[in-house]
Amino acid sequence: MNKKKSRQKRDRSEKLFEKAKTYFPGGVNSPVRAFRSVGGTPLFIEQGKGAYIWDADGNKFIDFCCSWGPLILGHANPKVVKAIKTAVEKGSSFGAPTELENKLAELILSNNKYIEKIRFVSSGTEAVMSAIRLARGYTKRNKILKFEGCYHGHSDSLLVKAGSGLVTFGNTSSAGVPEAFVNETIVCPLNNKEAVKEAFSKFKNEIACIIIEPIPANNGLLLQDKSYLQFLRDICTENKTLLLFDEVISGFRIGFTGAAGFYNIKPDIITYGKIIGGGLPVGAYGASAEIMSHISPEGAVYQAGTLSGNPVAMAAGIAQLTECLKKGFYEKLEKKTNAFVTSIRNQVSGIKIFSIGSIFWIAFTDKEKIQRAEEIDGDSMKHFRKIYHELLEQGVYLGPSGYEVGFVSEAHTEADLKKAGEIIVKNIRKI
Ligand SMILES: *Cc1c(COP(=O)(O)O)cnc(C)c1O
């Protein structure tokens, strides 16, 4: 791994990581933070402001991880901070309804024609897990169909990866997931109509839902054609199977109505997370009023949460989404991102930068398109690891894995992007 001594001071991060390893498995509370795929010691972050973060040794970075997506306004946006302070001073949780829940719901539902009712939970994983239960409860079917190369959080039914063959019951991608769960999850490759057709002919009237990241952004950025998503919509309708868009990353990122709005395709259930909570733990799932009426206490599908709709988190979400709704917000963000990405593209060869909205992904490849997990070149990760540490040394912070996408926030100025672009170009040229 990266044994080379850093030119930056890293003493405090290293000390904190040693200590953390005595408290947490692998020294972290979420695995990818441990830097295993790039090697070296994770930086402990002390502070963030706008497009910048500072680590525990005082090093400053332009941040493209943005907490893995939630921070579309950048770090410590003054409006979000103020909303959080105002809310928390009135009490942090009641376990009873508050007006703030109504306000966030109103903000979302009145600007999103794809869902009529919503339920707030506390993470993306929880949103997806609950939405799957809803799909099963609503259709009275057990099987679900997912795609290789999409991530949907860590609930049992979804920690399943493809086995061998086009349509498979996968293998678990985690110890501790019973075989019985795996047998209810069908795994297909992305961008492959035949596989999905075969699944429907094999399991007629058994599939409760197809779940997909309509903009798959957790295993590289595997942009699908609109015609493929439309095909999924149609085959679901024909088979009375629900189409579930997992928009935990793409929701409020690719425009306010996410991928559903971008492609103008209406799924039956949508899950949200990340941006929706303004940097605090919020997830949500939404659907038509009719489908949502199956959720408890109205319906028979049970789902609950002590901290669901937490007032402080709701306030942060309201403050953030209010900014997102301002005229030109997404256009400006996309324009800035395009300029950044295009400038890098024009100056280097041997790589591709795929992007959509304010999401980008650097891939070391000559391929024009990468739409399936298996099309990602394994060597790409080796190259990524090499440039990763150089970028850190020079003050650019990306998520610590070549499979992770980067995010541009409202706080990134053209000067920040120009500077980061130059550093990225310089280091790609070296390899
Ligand atoms: C991040 C993510 C999740 C999981 O959300 P958590 O808040 O980490 O539990 C699920 N689905 C998608 C598409 C995601 O990007």
Side-chain angles (χ1 to χ4, degrees), residues 30 68 122-128 150-154 211-218 246-250 271-274 282-283:
S30 192
W68 304 100
S122 300
S123 73
T125 296
E126 200 187 346
V128 173
C150 287
Y151 176 69
H152 303 293
H154 64 85
I211 179 169
I212 187 168
E213 280 182 83
I215 295 173
N218 276 287
D246 179 0
E247 298 229 43
V248 171
I249 266 194
S250 54
T271 53
Y272 297 108
K274 301 197 166 102
V282 181

PDB file of all heavy atoms in Angstrom, residues 30 68 122-128 150-154 211-218 246-250 271-274 282-283, ligand 1:
ATOM      1  N   SER A  30     -18.046   3.215   9.127  1.00  0.00           N
ATOM      2  CA  SER A  30     -18.575   2.851   7.812  1.00  0.00           C
ATOM      3  C   SER A  30     -17.357   2.475   6.967  1.00  0.00           C
ATOM      4  O   SER A  30     -16.376   3.224   6.950  1.00  0.00           O
ATOM      5  CB  SER A  30     -19.349   4.037   7.208  1.00  0.00           C
ATOM      6  OG  SER A  30     -20.088   3.632   6.085  1.00  0.00           O
ATOM      7  N   TRP A  68     -20.290  12.156   0.655  1.00  0.00           N
ATOM      8  CA  TRP A  68     -20.846  11.133  -0.253  1.00  0.00           C
ATOM      9  C   TRP A  68     -22.137  11.599  -0.919  1.00  0.00           C
ATOM     10  O   TRP A  68     -22.973  10.785  -1.306  1.00  0.00           O
ATOM     11  CB  TRP A  68     -21.064   9.794   0.459  1.00  0.00           C
ATOM     12  CG  TRP A  68     -19.807   9.286   1.089  1.00  0.00           C
ATOM     13  CD1 TRP A  68     -19.467   9.385   2.404  1.00  0.00           C
ATOM     14  CD2 TRP A  68     -18.705   8.638   0.445  1.00  0.00           C
ATOM     15  NE1 TRP A  68     -18.219   8.850   2.616  1.00  0.00           N
ATOM     16  CE2 TRP A  68     -17.727   8.378   1.444  1.00  0.00           C
ATOM     17  CE3 TRP A  68     -18.436   8.251  -0.869  1.00  0.00           C
ATOM     18  CZ2 TRP A  68     -16.516   7.757   1.172  1.00  0.00           C
ATOM     19  CZ3 TRP A  68     -17.236   7.630  -1.135  1.00  0.00           C
ATOM     20  CH2 TRP A  68     -16.290   7.385  -0.125  1.00  0.00           C
ATOM     21  N   SER A 122     -34.765   7.479   8.675  1.00  0.00           N
ATOM     22  CA  SER A 122     -33.507   8.097   9.114  1.00  0.00           C
ATOM     23  C   SER A 122     -32.264   7.787   8.283  1.00  0.00           C
ATOM     24  O   SER A 122     -31.173   8.258   8.601  1.00  0.00           O
ATOM     25  CB  SER A 122     -33.227   7.739  10.580  1.00  0.00           C
ATOM     26  OG  SER A 122     -34.297   8.212  11.381  1.00  0.00           O
ATOM     27  N   SER A 123     -32.391   6.956   7.241  1.00  0.00           N
ATOM     28  CA  SER A 123     -31.241   6.713   6.362  1.00  0.00           C
ATOM     29  C   SER A 123     -31.731   6.179   5.024  1.00  0.00           C
ATOM     30  O   SER A 123     -32.898   5.776   4.893  1.00  0.00           O
ATOM     31  CB  SER A 123     -30.271   5.698   6.985  1.00  0.00           C
ATOM     32  OG  SER A 123     -30.832   4.395   6.940  1.00  0.00           O
ATOM     33  N   GLY A 124     -30.826   6.153   4.062  1.00  0.00           N
ATOM     34  CA  GLY A 124     -31.146   5.592   2.748  1.00  0.00           C
ATOM     35  C   GLY A 124     -31.440   4.109   2.845  1.00  0.00           C
ATOM     36  O   GLY A 124     -32.383   3.597   2.232  1.00  0.00           O
ATOM     37  N   THR A 125     -30.626   3.417   3.625  1.00  0.00           N
ATOM     38  CA  THR A 125     -30.839   1.976   3.825  1.00  0.00           C
ATOM     39  C   THR A 125     -32.248   1.702   4.346  1.00  0.00           C
ATOM     40  O   THR A 125     -32.950   0.814   3.851  1.00  0.00           O
ATOM     41  CB  THR A 125     -29.811   1.419   4.846  1.00  0.00           C
ATOM     42  OG1 THR A 125     -28.503   1.555   4.290  1.00  0.00           O
ATOM     43  CG2 THR A 125     -30.076  -0.023   5.187  1.00  0.00           C
ATOM     44  N   GLU A 126     -32.644   2.481   5.340  1.00  0.00           N
ATOM     45  CA  GLU A 126     -33.963   2.284   5.950  1.00  0.00           C
ATOM     46  C   GLU A 126     -35.072   2.593   4.938  1.00  0.00           C
ATOM     47  O   GLU A 126     -36.099   1.896   4.907  1.00  0.00           O
ATOM     48  CB  GLU A 126     -34.075   3.202   7.176  1.00  0.00           C
ATOM     49  CG  GLU A 126     -35.140   2.770   8.143  1.00  0.00           C
ATOM     50  CD  GLU A 126     -35.345   3.788   9.275  1.00  0.00           C
ATOM     51  OE1 GLU A 126     -34.497   4.689   9.454  1.00  0.00           O
ATOM     52  OE2 GLU A 126     -36.378   3.677   9.950  1.00  0.00           O
ATOM     53  N   ALA A 127     -34.859   3.601   4.121  1.00  0.00           N
ATOM     54  CA  ALA A 127     -35.857   3.947   3.107  1.00  0.00           C
ATOM     55  C   ALA A 127     -36.051   2.790   2.129  1.00  0.00           C
ATOM     56  O   ALA A 127     -37.182   2.379   1.843  1.00  0.00           O
ATOM     57  CB  ALA A 127     -35.422   5.209   2.350  1.00  0.00           C
ATOM     58  N   VAL A 128     -34.937   2.242   1.643  1.00  0.00           N
ATOM     59  CA  VAL A 128     -35.022   1.158   0.661  1.00  0.00           C
ATOM     60  C   VAL A 128     -35.616  -0.102   1.289  1.00  0.00           C
ATOM     61  O   VAL A 128     -36.493  -0.750   0.707  1.00  0.00           O
ATOM     62  CB  VAL A 128     -33.625   0.858   0.061  1.00  0.00           C
ATOM     63  CG1 VAL A 128     -33.680  -0.380  -0.815  1.00  0.00           C
ATOM     64  CG2 VAL A 128     -33.106   2.055  -0.731  1.00  0.00           C
ATOM     65  N   CYS A 150     -25.547  -1.870  -8.902  1.00  0.00           N
ATOM     66  CA  CYS A 150     -26.341  -0.877  -8.161  1.00  0.00           C
ATOM     67  C   CYS A 150     -26.201  -1.159  -6.668  1.00  0.00           C
ATOM     68  O   CYS A 150     -26.161  -2.307  -6.243  1.00  0.00           O
ATOM     69  CB  CYS A 150     -27.818  -0.953  -8.540  1.00  0.00           C
ATOM     70  SG  CYS A 150     -28.178  -0.303 -10.173  1.00  0.00           S
ATOM     71  N   TYR A 151     -26.150  -0.109  -5.872  1.00  0.00           N
ATOM     72  CA  TYR A 151     -26.084  -0.246  -4.420  1.00  0.00           C
ATOM     73  C   TYR A 151     -27.369   0.310  -3.817  1.00  0.00           C
ATOM     74  O   TYR A 151     -27.846   1.363  -4.234  1.00  0.00           O
ATOM     75  CB  TYR A 151     -24.886   0.532  -3.868  1.00  0.00           C
ATOM     76  CG  TYR A 151     -24.788   0.515  -2.352  1.00  0.00           C
ATOM     77  CD1 TYR A 151     -24.475  -0.661  -1.672  1.00  0.00           C
ATOM     78  CD2 TYR A 151     -25.010   1.668  -1.603  1.00  0.00           C
ATOM     79  CE1 TYR A 151     -24.385  -0.679  -0.275  1.00  0.00           C
ATOM     80  CE2 TYR A 151     -24.918   1.653  -0.202  1.00  0.00           C
ATOM     81  CZ  TYR A 151     -24.606   0.482   0.448  1.00  0.00           C
ATOM     82  OH  TYR A 151     -24.521   0.470   1.822  1.00  0.00           O
ATOM     83  N   HIS A 152     -27.907  -0.408  -2.869  1.00  0.00           N
ATOM     84  CA  HIS A 152     -29.166   0.039  -2.264  1.00  0.00           C
ATOM     85  C   HIS A 152     -29.123   0.022  -0.740  1.00  0.00           C
ATOM     86  O   HIS A 152     -30.144  -0.191  -0.092  1.00  0.00           O
ATOM     87  CB  HIS A 152     -30.309  -0.848  -2.754  1.00  0.00           C
ATOM     88  CG  HIS A 152     -30.456  -0.874  -4.248  1.00  0.00           C
ATOM     89  ND1 HIS A 152     -30.852   0.224  -4.977  1.00  0.00           N
ATOM     90  CD2 HIS A 152     -30.214  -1.861  -5.157  1.00  0.00           C
ATOM     91  CE1 HIS A 152     -30.879  -0.087  -6.268  1.00  0.00           C
ATOM     92  NE2 HIS A 152     -30.495  -1.340  -6.400  1.00  0.00           N
ATOM     93  N   GLY A 153     -27.946   0.220  -0.161  1.00  0.00           N
ATOM     94  CA  GLY A 153     -27.840   0.164   1.284  1.00  0.00           C
ATOM     95  C   GLY A 153     -27.571  -1.264   1.733  1.00  0.00           C
ATOM     96  O   GLY A 153     -27.367  -2.151   0.902  1.00  0.00           O
ATOM     97  N   HIS A 154     -27.608  -1.490   3.058  1.00  0.00           N
ATOM     98  CA  HIS A 154     -27.089  -2.771   3.550  1.00  0.00           C
ATOM     99  C   HIS A 154     -28.152  -3.693   4.149  1.00  0.00           C
ATOM    100  O   HIS A 154     -27.853  -4.535   4.986  1.00  0.00           O
ATOM    101  CB  HIS A 154     -25.946  -2.517   4.539  1.00  0.00           C
ATOM    102  CG  HIS A 154     -26.366  -1.796   5.784  1.00  0.00           C
ATOM    103  ND1 HIS A 154     -26.882  -2.463   6.868  1.00  0.00           N
ATOM    104  CD2 HIS A 154     -26.366  -0.491   6.102  1.00  0.00           C
ATOM    105  CE1 HIS A 154     -27.173  -1.572   7.812  1.00  0.00           C
ATOM    106  NE2 HIS A 154     -26.875  -0.371   7.370  1.00  0.00           N
ATOM    107  N   ILE A 211     -35.954  -3.112  -8.570  1.00  0.00           N
ATOM    108  CA  ILE A 211     -35.309  -1.949  -7.947  1.00  0.00           C
ATOM    109  C   ILE A 211     -34.056  -1.593  -8.733  1.00  0.00           C
ATOM    110  O   ILE A 211     -33.268  -2.470  -9.091  1.00  0.00           O
ATOM    111  CB  ILE A 211     -34.990  -2.182  -6.447  1.00  0.00           C
ATOM    112  CG1 ILE A 211     -34.287  -0.943  -5.861  1.00  0.00           C
ATOM    113  CG2 ILE A 211     -34.151  -3.444  -6.198  1.00  0.00           C
ATOM    114  CD1 ILE A 211     -34.157  -0.954  -4.344  1.00  0.00           C
ATOM    115  N   ILE A 212     -33.928  -0.314  -9.047  1.00  0.00           N
ATOM    116  CA  ILE A 212     -32.753   0.148  -9.798  1.00  0.00           C
ATOM    117  C   ILE A 212     -32.365   1.545  -9.316  1.00  0.00           C
ATOM    118  O   ILE A 212     -33.231   2.330  -8.905  1.00  0.00           O
ATOM    119  CB  ILE A 212     -33.039   0.155 -11.328  1.00  0.00           C
ATOM    120  CG1 ILE A 212     -31.761   0.475 -12.129  1.00  0.00           C
ATOM    121  CG2 ILE A 212     -34.173   1.118 -11.693  1.00  0.00           C
ATOM    122  CD1 ILE A 212     -31.868   0.220 -13.631  1.00  0.00           C
ATOM    123  N   GLU A 213     -31.072   1.818  -9.349  1.00  0.00           N
ATOM    124  CA  GLU A 213     -30.621   3.207  -9.286  1.00  0.00           C
ATOM    125  C   GLU A 213     -30.773   3.703 -10.722  1.00  0.00           C
ATOM    126  O   GLU A 213     -30.012   3.277 -11.591  1.00  0.00           O
ATOM    127  CB  GLU A 213     -29.133   3.285  -8.948  1.00  0.00           C
ATOM    128  CG  GLU A 213     -28.717   3.126  -7.532  1.00  0.00           C
ATOM    129  CD  GLU A 213     -27.196   3.287  -7.418  1.00  0.00           C
ATOM    130  OE1 GLU A 213     -26.717   4.428  -7.354  1.00  0.00           O
ATOM    131  OE2 GLU A 213     -26.488   2.274  -7.424  1.00  0.00           O
ATOM    132  N   PRO A 214     -31.730   4.575 -11.015  1.00  0.00           N
ATOM    133  CA  PRO A 214     -31.927   4.994 -12.402  1.00  0.00           C
ATOM    134  C   PRO A 214     -30.679   5.707 -12.947  1.00  0.00           C
ATOM    135  O   PRO A 214     -30.448   5.693 -14.155  1.00  0.00           O
ATOM    136  CB  PRO A 214     -33.118   5.948 -12.314  1.00  0.00           C
ATOM    137  CG  PRO A 214     -33.248   6.316 -10.878  1.00  0.00           C
ATOM    138  CD  PRO A 214     -32.668   5.208 -10.084  1.00  0.00           C
ATOM    139  N   ILE A 215     -29.908   6.284 -12.051  1.00  0.00           N
ATOM    140  CA  ILE A 215     -28.585   6.802 -12.409  1.00  0.00           C
ATOM    141  C   ILE A 215     -27.595   6.085 -11.499  1.00  0.00           C
ATOM    142  O   ILE A 215     -27.307   6.547 -10.400  1.00  0.00           O
ATOM    143  CB  ILE A 215     -28.540   8.337 -12.236  1.00  0.00           C
ATOM    144  CG1 ILE A 215     -29.502   8.972 -13.239  1.00  0.00           C
ATOM    145  CG2 ILE A 215     -27.117   8.869 -12.418  1.00  0.00           C
ATOM    146  CD1 ILE A 215     -29.705  10.456 -13.098  1.00  0.00           C
ATOM    147  N   PRO A 216     -27.116   4.900 -11.942  1.00  0.00           N
ATOM    148  CA  PRO A 216     -26.277   4.101 -11.049  1.00  0.00           C
ATOM    149  C   PRO A 216     -24.955   4.826 -10.761  1.00  0.00           C
ATOM    150  O   PRO A 216     -24.164   5.062 -11.657  1.00  0.00           O
ATOM    151  CB  PRO A 216     -26.030   2.814 -11.844  1.00  0.00           C
ATOM    152  CG  PRO A 216     -27.139   2.771 -12.860  1.00  0.00           C
ATOM    153  CD  PRO A 216     -27.376   4.214 -13.213  1.00  0.00           C
ATOM    154  N   ALA A 217     -24.738   5.195  -9.501  1.00  0.00           N
ATOM    155  CA  ALA A 217     -23.603   6.056  -9.155  1.00  0.00           C
ATOM    156  C   ALA A 217     -22.862   5.562  -7.915  1.00  0.00           C
ATOM    157  O   ALA A 217     -22.215   6.323  -7.222  1.00  0.00           O
ATOM    158  CB  ALA A 217     -24.099   7.490  -8.942  1.00  0.00           C
ATOM    159  N   ASN A 218     -22.968   4.267  -7.646  1.00  0.00           N
ATOM    160  CA  ASN A 218     -22.265   3.715  -6.493  1.00  0.00           C
ATOM    161  C   ASN A 218     -21.202   2.706  -6.888  1.00  0.00           C
ATOM    162  O   ASN A 218     -20.550   2.104  -6.043  1.00  0.00           O
ATOM    163  CB  ASN A 218     -23.259   3.039  -5.543  1.00  0.00           C
ATOM    164  CG  ASN A 218     -23.914   4.043  -4.609  1.00  0.00           C
ATOM    165  OD1 ASN A 218     -23.283   4.539  -3.684  1.00  0.00           O
ATOM    166  ND2 ASN A 218     -25.169   4.362  -4.864  1.00  0.00           N
ATOM    167  N   ASP A 246     -34.479   3.799  -6.858  1.00  0.00           N
ATOM    168  CA  ASP A 246     -33.716   4.185  -5.678  1.00  0.00           C
ATOM    169  C   ASP A 246     -32.957   5.466  -6.028  1.00  0.00           C
ATOM    170  O   ASP A 246     -31.934   5.440  -6.694  1.00  0.00           O
ATOM    171  CB  ASP A 246     -32.758   3.059  -5.270  1.00  0.00           C
ATOM    172  CG  ASP A 246     -31.926   3.430  -4.043  1.00  0.00           C
ATOM    173  OD1 ASP A 246     -32.106   4.554  -3.519  1.00  0.00           O
ATOM    174  OD2 ASP A 246     -31.114   2.594  -3.604  1.00  0.00           O
ATOM    175  N   GLU A 247     -33.512   6.571  -5.556  1.00  0.00           N
ATOM    176  CA  GLU A 247     -32.941   7.890  -5.871  1.00  0.00           C
ATOM    177  C   GLU A 247     -32.234   8.500  -4.657  1.00  0.00           C
ATOM    178  O   GLU A 247     -32.262   9.708  -4.459  1.00  0.00           O
ATOM    179  CB  GLU A 247     -34.046   8.825  -6.378  1.00  0.00           C
ATOM    180  CG  GLU A 247     -34.702   8.346  -7.670  1.00  0.00           C
ATOM    181  CD  GLU A 247     -34.784   9.438  -8.721  1.00  0.00           C
ATOM    182  OE1 GLU A 247     -33.785  10.176  -8.896  1.00  0.00           O
ATOM    183  OE2 GLU A 247     -35.853   9.552  -9.351  1.00  0.00           O
ATOM    184  N   VAL A 248     -31.645   7.641  -3.846  1.00  0.00           N
ATOM    185  CA  VAL A 248     -30.948   8.151  -2.659  1.00  0.00           C
ATOM    186  C   VAL A 248     -29.787   9.070  -3.078  1.00  0.00           C
ATOM    187  O   VAL A 248     -29.537  10.089  -2.439  1.00  0.00           O
ATOM    188  CB  VAL A 248     -30.477   6.988  -1.748  1.00  0.00           C
ATOM    189  CG1 VAL A 248     -29.567   7.502  -0.633  1.00  0.00           C
ATOM    190  CG2 VAL A 248     -31.677   6.270  -1.131  1.00  0.00           C
ATOM    191  N   ILE A 249     -29.137   8.737  -4.185  1.00  0.00           N
ATOM    192  CA  ILE A 249     -28.075   9.642  -4.699  1.00  0.00           C
ATOM    193  C   ILE A 249     -28.637  10.648  -5.705  1.00  0.00           C
ATOM    194  O   ILE A 249     -28.322  11.838  -5.664  1.00  0.00           O
ATOM    195  CB  ILE A 249     -26.921   8.841  -5.349  1.00  0.00           C
ATOM    196  CG1 ILE A 249     -25.815   8.607  -4.320  1.00  0.00           C
ATOM    197  CG2 ILE A 249     -26.313   9.591  -6.535  1.00  0.00           C
ATOM    198  CD1 ILE A 249     -24.507   8.128  -4.873  1.00  0.00           C
ATOM    199  N   SER A 250     -29.463  10.179  -6.628  1.00  0.00           N
ATOM    200  CA  SER A 250     -29.878  11.047  -7.744  1.00  0.00           C
ATOM    201  C   SER A 250     -31.001  12.016  -7.373  1.00  0.00           C
ATOM    202  O   SER A 250     -31.162  13.054  -8.013  1.00  0.00           O
ATOM    203  CB  SER A 250     -30.315  10.180  -8.937  1.00  0.00           C
ATOM    204  OG  SER A 250     -31.313   9.250  -8.549  1.00  0.00           O
ATOM    205  N   THR A 271     -37.286   6.090  -3.543  1.00  0.00           N
ATOM    206  CA  THR A 271     -36.616   6.269  -2.257  1.00  0.00           C
ATOM    207  C   THR A 271     -35.648   7.446  -2.339  1.00  0.00           C
ATOM    208  O   THR A 271     -35.043   7.699  -3.383  1.00  0.00           O
ATOM    209  CB  THR A 271     -35.826   5.009  -1.844  1.00  0.00           C
ATOM    210  OG1 THR A 271     -34.952   4.632  -2.920  1.00  0.00           O
ATOM    211  CG2 THR A 271     -36.752   3.869  -1.519  1.00  0.00           C
ATOM    212  N   TYR A 272     -35.534   8.164  -1.228  1.00  0.00           N
ATOM    213  CA  TYR A 272     -34.619   9.308  -1.136  1.00  0.00           C
ATOM    214  C   TYR A 272     -33.734   9.172   0.094  1.00  0.00           C
ATOM    215  O   TYR A 272     -34.034   8.423   1.021  1.00  0.00           O
ATOM    216  CB  TYR A 272     -35.415  10.619  -1.027  1.00  0.00           C
ATOM    217  CG  TYR A 272     -36.276  10.930  -2.226  1.00  0.00           C
ATOM    218  CD1 TYR A 272     -37.661  10.834  -2.156  1.00  0.00           C
ATOM    219  CD2 TYR A 272     -35.697  11.322  -3.436  1.00  0.00           C
ATOM    220  CE1 TYR A 272     -38.457  11.119  -3.251  1.00  0.00           C
ATOM    221  CE2 TYR A 272     -36.483  11.611  -4.539  1.00  0.00           C
ATOM    222  CZ  TYR A 272     -37.870  11.513  -4.442  1.00  0.00           C
ATOM    223  OH  TYR A 272     -38.646  11.796  -5.534  1.00  0.00           O
ATOM    224  N   GLY A 273     -32.673   9.933   0.105  1.00  0.00           N
ATOM    225  CA  GLY A 273     -31.759   9.993   1.244  1.00  0.00           C
ATOM    226  C   GLY A 273     -30.789  11.130   0.979  1.00  0.00           C
ATOM    227  O   GLY A 273     -31.094  12.049   0.230  1.00  0.00           O
ATOM    228  N   LYS A 274     -29.620  11.054   1.555  1.00  0.00           N
ATOM    229  CA  LYS A 274     -28.550  12.021   1.270  1.00  0.00           C
ATOM    230  C   LYS A 274     -29.020  13.484   1.247  1.00  0.00           C
ATOM    231  O   LYS A 274     -29.250  14.046   2.309  1.00  0.00           O
ATOM    232  CB  LYS A 274     -27.798  11.596  -0.002  1.00  0.00           C
ATOM    233  CG  LYS A 274     -27.181  10.190   0.172  1.00  0.00           C
ATOM    234  CD  LYS A 274     -26.110   9.807  -0.794  1.00  0.00           C
ATOM    235  CE  LYS A 274     -25.385   8.560  -0.290  1.00  0.00           C
ATOM    236  NZ  LYS A 274     -25.736   7.309  -0.923  1.00  0.00           N
ATOM    237  N   VAL A 282     -31.521  11.688   7.256  1.00  0.00           N
ATOM    238  CA  VAL A 282     -32.908  11.571   6.798  1.00  0.00           C
ATOM    239  C   VAL A 282     -32.947  10.678   5.561  1.00  0.00           C
ATOM    240  O   VAL A 282     -32.082  10.757   4.698  1.00  0.00           O
ATOM    241  CB  VAL A 282     -33.513  12.947   6.421  1.00  0.00           C
ATOM    242  CG1 VAL A 282     -34.979  12.786   5.963  1.00  0.00           C
ATOM    243  CG2 VAL A 282     -33.446  13.929   7.579  1.00  0.00           C
ATOM    244  N   GLY A 283     -33.947   9.835   5.499  1.00  0.00           N
ATOM    245  CA  GLY A 283     -34.266   9.093   4.288  1.00  0.00           C
ATOM    246  C   GLY A 283     -35.762   9.230   4.089  1.00  0.00           C
ATOM    247  O   GLY A 283     -36.462   9.754   4.964  1.00  0.00           O
TER     248      GLY A 283
HETATM  249  C1  LIG B   1     -26.170   5.937  -0.177  1.00  0.00           C
HETATM  250  C2  LIG B   1     -27.172   5.064  -0.835  1.00  0.00           C
HETATM  251  C3  LIG B   1     -27.979   4.173  -0.105  1.00  0.00           C
HETATM  252  C4  LIG B   1     -27.799   3.948   1.379  1.00  0.00           C
HETATM  253  O1  LIG B   1     -28.046   5.103   2.108  1.00  0.00           O
HETATM  254  P1  LIG B   1     -27.468   5.211   3.615  1.00  0.00           P
HETATM  255  O2  LIG B   1     -27.973   6.534   4.090  1.00  0.00           O
HETATM  256  O3  LIG B   1     -25.982   5.133   3.481  1.00  0.00           O
HETATM  257  O4  LIG B   1     -28.026   4.064   4.367  1.00  0.00           O
HETATM  258  C5  LIG B   1     -28.955   3.468  -0.780  1.00  0.00           C
HETATM  259  N1  LIG B   1     -29.139   3.623  -2.104  1.00  0.00           N
HETATM  260  C6  LIG B   1     -28.381   4.453  -2.837  1.00  0.00           C
HETATM  261  C7  LIG B   1     -28.650   4.599  -4.290  1.00  0.00           C
HETATM  262  C8  LIG B   1     -27.372   5.201  -2.230  1.00  0.00           C
HETATM  263  O5  LIG B   1     -26.617   6.003  -2.973  1.00  0.00           O
END
